[in-house]
Amino acid sequence: MVENKKTYMVKANEFVFTFDQEEIDKADFIKKNPTEFNLIRNNRSVNAKLLESDITGKEVMIEVDGETFELVIKDELDQMLDRMGFSTVSSKHIKEIKAPMPGLVLEVAVKEGQEVEEGEKILILEAMKMENSIMIHTNARIKRIAVSAGQAVDKGQVLVELE
Amino acid sequence: MKKILVANRGEIALRIMRTIRKMGIKSVAVYSEADRHSPHVLFADEAVCLGAAPSSQSYLNGDKIIAFCKELGVDGIHPGYGFLSENAEFAQKVTDAGIEFIGPTPEAMRIMGSKLAAKESVKKYNIPMVPGIDRAIEDVNLAIEVAYKIGYPVLIKASAGGGGKGMRIVEKADDMQEQMERAISEAKSSFGDGSVFLEKYVTSPRHIEVQVVADKYGNVIHGLERECSIQRRHQKVVEETPSAIVTPEMREKIGEAAVMVAKSCNYVSTGTVEFLVDDKLNFYFLEMNTRLQVEHPVSEMIIGLDLVEQQIRIARGEKLGITQDDIKPNGHAIELRVYAEDPLNNFLPSIGTLTKYEKPTGEGIRVDDGYEEGMTIPIYYDPMIAKLVVHGKTRTEAIQKMLQAIKEYKIEGVATTLPFGTFVFEHEAFFSGKFDTHFVKNYYTPEKIKEKQKANAEIAAMVAIKYWQERKKMLSPVEHKSTSWKRRLAH
């Protein structure tokens, strides 16, 4: 394998990027001190600050332009392990819908056993004087409704289970 | 006045108490069971619990508040904004109990609290008003007739509504009947009063308001204008003063109009007169807010007055110590309301615990807040975390200072309107001053914030790889030279 064709996958908060060694080598990058860096990219001069690092340097926290990013680097070996199924990331199949925020259930719009389509309203949750429609992001069949109208729920509490 | 109770919570309660203390007066905090840890409770000289978390069982319980005042020997109540601040009945009960209500008279609150009474009151002063009908109606046919006369688009507003609730825009005659019927039924169910009124809908409206200060002897001055056109859900997020579009001539005219509105209801204390300004800079009287406004700090910064101090001085019977000529704008001030809302998800409330909370500091930066790191944002109240206010010599300087302050404001655990603030202050329309209340609709999409975050994330990712590779290089030789058993021998 040619050294500069090595690829790296980096997770930065919810974003995922892939770079090869050539791109990294070409980057106009300077180190001001052990924790502060400057990168010129697309003519933009950006300062970055290392906030935290694990012992390997593969999991770090970096601040750019006032925003904090949690980063995980995956080299070729890590990526291969992921492909072989050793990844801890679970599949995309949604089994339940959880409350995105604490609040009060105002209305449940579905019934147990009902077939629902992506984008359909499941229930209305009231928080901070506002009514929020909780939608479903997949096609599914409602297995169980875990809450009822008038009930207060915590963040992360299961609202509805899907088949 | 020796002891003042602040009938409010969060940032505004704390801000009021700071002035109370500065004036050598004792402060009493009230709190609900959800707010025992709030800074306003910790700051106060005395504190009493009103009851359970929901406002109806705590901060809105006026009788309980008055009873506590009597028990604790309180001689003044400051209502802050929201909750009981514009409740004329409460103000009357406070006055009847022999306690000074730090704010306007119940009579002035009653007049300005009803849109129709307010219009009636200012009529004889020649204050410009948006063309429309001057009485509340429930008659659909009459509405169609009136709409025809003033011309479409037309705005239907619930007589008892407020804060953007109960409003409908009707674009054409065909929709009038249905929209009227829905507006009336909505007003009935929301406010218990189905009457609505109609006015011409101004298509590119700006929201500009004027601060007024009035004593008990009929002296009224205005404290210049505030531009509040950047709104989401008809609620303000960004305010500034002076406005980028108000000329000195217009400032004088709109200020005089505001003073006359205050005089029309014998106003006392601080208040705000709201105007709608169209694209030709015509201004129309909207309503008067009979309280201290959320965005009052921007005015304080450029006129150099502590408005809460003025309220307390006026309440205890002092004459205004300043005249209109003393009010001169010094520089420029901008406020960003930092809400626990997710600008990437339709500004929905984002509730949780403030796992990290660091405020920006520096000259010309003021943060009015009611939270500390580790605190949870309760679901029962308004989701505002703080008001970030900056002052600069010029508008440009203030904008730059704001952008820097946003970067230094570290909030983790909940999503906030801080990234939305960056979007606004970097936007060409805001910079040029050419914007109206449709700013969010016209320019904002979550993708624009996302794009920027992605660009920054990419840079962070590249820096991370560089850092990791350098670290590997530095660590490797050490590992080759000293194996673990050798290190063990050295000990």
Side-chain angles (χ1 to χ4, degrees):
Chain A
M1 192 190 298
V2 186
E3 182 67 8
N4 66 3
K5 283 295 170 200
K6 265 189 177 174
T7 63
Y8 306 104
M9 199 180 90
V10 187
K11 282 189 188 169
N13 291 0
E14 72 268 36
F15 302 101
V16 180
F17 302 97
T18 312
F19 303 99
D20 57 34
Q21 187 63 42
E22 200 183 339
E23 274 178 277
I24 300 298
D25 292 340
K26 273 188 183 166
D28 186 349
F29 171 93
I30 61 159
K31 191 170 177 178
K32 292 196 281 183
N33 59 49
T35 58
E36 289 185 278
F37 310 87
N38 178 275
L39 184 70
I40 297 177
R41 183 157 173 84
N42 305 327
N43 302 324
R44 197 176 153 221
S45 165
V46 195
N47 294 310
K49 196 175 168 187
L50 180 78
L51 302 175
E52 273 176 36
S53 168
D54 75 340
I55 190 111
T56 63
K58 268 176 151 179
E59 290 188 23
V60 294
M61 239 162 92
I62 291 175
E63 182 187 315
V64 175
D65 213 10
E67 276 183 76
T68 305
F69 296 96
E70 285 179 29
L71 302 123
V72 181
I73 301 170
K74 298 205 168 186
D75 58 19
E76 304 252 291
L77 182 64
D78 297 326
Q79 291 176 53
M80 198 168 74
L81 289 175
D82 281 355
R83 277 194 298 272
M84 287 164 67
F86 292 104
S87 164
T88 50
V89 182
S90 59
S91 71
K92 277 262 161 84
H93 187 68
I94 307 169
K95 285 243 157 84
E96 52 200 19
I97 297 173
K98 291 176 180 173
M101 64 190 100
L104 188 72
V105 178
L106 282 190
E107 183 195 321
V108 180
V110 291
K111 287 191 179 69
E112 285 179 4
Q114 189 179 329
E115 296 281 348
V116 285
E117 281 176 23
E118 184 181 344
E120 214 170 301
K121 185 170 77 184
I122 298 297
L123 52 77
I124 299 174
L125 192 63
E126 187 194 56
M128 287 168 174
K129 300 184 281 183
M130 272 175 42
E131 293 177 15
N132 308 290
S133 295
I134 308 296
M135 313 284 193
I136 185 163
H137 298 290
T138 180
N139 295 337
R141 203 174 134 93
I142 307 285
K143 186 175 166 192
R144 192 175 78 91
I145 295 167
V147 294
S148 53
Q151 185 179 339
V153 293
D154 283 330
K155 185 175 178 169
Q157 187 171 335
V158 174
L159 302 171
V160 166
E161 284 175 23
L162 307 172
E163 272 176 29
Chain B
M1 244 184 256
K2 295 205 168 53
K3 199 191 268 186
I4 295 174
L5 179 144
V6 182
N8 216 299
R9 66 180 294 279
E11 66 87 16
I12 194 62
L14 188 60
R15 184 258 166 274
I16 293 164
M17 285 179 202
R18 288 211 170 99
T19 294
I20 293 175
R21 180 160 297 170
K22 185 181 81 182
M23 295 174 78
I25 302 169
K26 293 269 181 251
S27 58
V28 181
V30 293
Y31 63 97
S32 75
E33 283 161 12
D35 280 341
R36 175 62 185 88
H37 296 268
S38 287
H40 81 275
V41 183
L42 310 189
F43 182 89
D45 294 307
E46 294 174 35
V48 285
C49 180
L50 289 172
S55 311
S56 57
Q57 292 167 54
S58 51
Y59 297 104
L60 289 173
N61 191 340
D63 292 338
K64 202 161 185 181
I65 291 170
I66 294 171
F68 272 129
C69 285
K70 287 184 181 158
E71 196 184 312
L72 300 172
V74 167
D75 38 22
I77 292 183
H78 196 304
Y81 57 72
F83 296 124
L84 295 164
S85 63
E86 289 177 285
N87 185 324
E89 233 177 278
F90 174 68
Q92 188 66 60
K93 279 186 188 168
V94 171
T95 312
D96 292 347
I99 303 160
E100 190 69 33
F101 183 82
I102 302 168
T105 59
E107 188 51 26
M109 284 162 81
R110 254 176 232 125
I111 294 171
M112 291 301 160
S114 148
K115 292 196 180 76
L116 296 171
K119 287 198 170 180
E120 193 59 39
S121 167
V122 305
K123 220 178 192 176
K124 51 185 176 290
Y125 291 87
N126 264 333
I127 310 287
M129 278 182 279
V130 180
I133 188 164
D134 59 1
R135 63 191 170 87
I137 54 170
E138 280 191 63
D139 179 343
V140 177
N141 289 328
L142 181 60
I144 292 169
E145 213 173 285
V146 172
Y148 176 75
K149 262 185 229 156
I150 59 181
Y152 287 93
V154 161
L155 186 67
I156 309 176
K157 273 180 176 179
S159 165
K165 290 192 184 99
M167 283 208 246
R168 265 157 203 281
I169 301 158
V170 189
E171 305 280 355
K172 52 189 196 297
D174 291 349
D175 303 336
M176 195 63 192
Q177 174 143 8
E178 205 215 323
Q179 292 289 328
M180 258 308 270
E181 280 164 4
R182 283 170 62 188
I184 290 167
S185 113
E186 199 176 84
K188 250 186 209 149
S189 67
S190 305
F191 311 111
D193 173 4
S195 63
V196 296
F197 61 108
L198 298 178
E199 62 185 36
K200 183 155 183 65
Y201 179 66
V202 178
T203 30
S204 288
R206 295 178 76 115
H207 178 119
I208 292 178
E209 59 186 30
V210 178
Q211 178 69 53
V212 294
V213 185
D215 66 16
K216 291 178 177 174
Y217 310 95
N219 302 305
V220 188
I221 58 167
H222 71 82
L224 311 171
E225 81 280 358
R226 288 187 290 259
E227 159 73 66
C228 313
S229 299
I230 309 279
Q231 311 184 342
R232 51 102 188 73
R233 285 198 298 268
H234 300 288
Q235 285 175 338
K236 303 161 191 169
V237 212
V238 171
E239 299 99 343
E240 62 174 324
T241 179
S243 161
I245 54 146
V246 172
T247 60
E249 297 75 47
M250 180 180 168
R251 182 164 296 125
E252 197 169 313
K253 271 197 220 158
I254 201 169
E256 269 172 26
V259 166
M260 283 194 285
V261 169
K263 282 187 171 167
S264 80
C265 63
N266 297 316
Y267 199 81
V268 169
S269 195
T270 65
T272 295
V273 184
E274 296 192 335
F275 295 94
L276 204 61
V277 177
D278 70 15
D279 47 0
K280 293 171 195 73
L281 298 190
N282 297 308
F283 62 85
Y284 307 102
F285 170 64
L286 264 186
E287 60 177 348
M288 181 169 191
N289 293 319
T290 56
R291 57 160 194 267
L292 184 71
Q293 204 88 334
V294 174
E295 59 273 24
H296 75 276
V298 288
S299 299
E300 292 186 324
M301 276 182 148
I302 71 152
I303 62 177
L305 281 182
D306 179 336
L307 291 170
V308 173
E309 183 184 333
Q310 291 300 315
Q311 287 186 298
I312 295 170
R313 288 185 181 282
I314 290 163
R316 64 187 184 196
E318 289 178 34
K319 273 189 186 167
L320 277 186
I322 38 162
T323 64
Q324 193 62 58
D325 292 338
D326 297 324
I327 303 290
K328 295 270 187 292
N330 166 30
H332 196 95
I334 308 176
E335 170 179 286
L336 169 66
R337 298 191 190 186
V338 184
Y339 282 103
E341 288 179 0
D342 189 358
L344 298 177
N345 187 13
N346 213 10
F347 294 99
L348 283 181
S350 166
I351 309 159
T353 301
L354 299 168
T355 51
K356 184 170 189 177
Y357 186 77
E358 281 169 25
K359 299 185 261 194
T361 54
E363 202 205 328
I365 296 175
R366 167 174 167 179
V367 179
D368 282 18
D369 62 0
Y371 288 98
E372 277 164 17
E373 191 167 293
M375 283 179 67
T376 299
I377 299 172
I379 61 166
Y380 307 97
Y381 319 109
D382 186 86
M384 195 169 76
I385 299 172
K387 301 184 301 206
L388 172 58
V389 198
V390 298
H391 181 259
K393 283 199 285 291
T394 61
R395 187 168 185 266
T396 306
E397 198 184 292
I399 292 173
Q400 293 311 315
K401 193 174 276 186
M402 180 60 100
L403 285 167
Q404 188 57 35
I406 292 172
K407 276 187 197 173
E408 289 169 20
Y409 210 148
K410 307 282 179 214
I411 303 179
E412 285 171 22
V414 297
T416 73
T417 45
L418 284 171
F420 174 72
T422 302
F423 171 82
V424 172
F425 301 121
E426 282 181 345
H427 200 281
E428 195 276 327
F430 184 81
F431 198 79
S432 68
K434 291 189 192 90
F435 57 88
D436 56 43
T437 54
H438 303 311
F439 180 90
V440 169
K441 192 175 85 186
N442 290 348
Y443 305 115
Y444 178 69
T445 59
E447 284 71 36
K448 293 193 173 143
I449 289 183
K450 274 271 188 213
E451 271 165 39
K452 216 183 142 208
Q453 282 182 345
K454 196 176 170 186
N456 285 337
E458 192 181 23
I459 284 166
M462 294 181 90
V463 170
I465 294 175
K466 278 274 187 189
Y467 169 76
W468 167 58
Q469 292 184 337
E470 279 197 17
R471 197 180 162 101
K472 258 205 313 197
K473 261 185 235 155
M474 275 167 55
L475 287 176
S476 308
V478 182
E479 281 169 3
H480 287 297
K481 273 178 198 157
S482 73
T483 56
S484 52
W485 68 268
K486 267 188 192 166
R487 266 207 305 272
R488 214 182 300 146
L489 284 178
H491 281 291

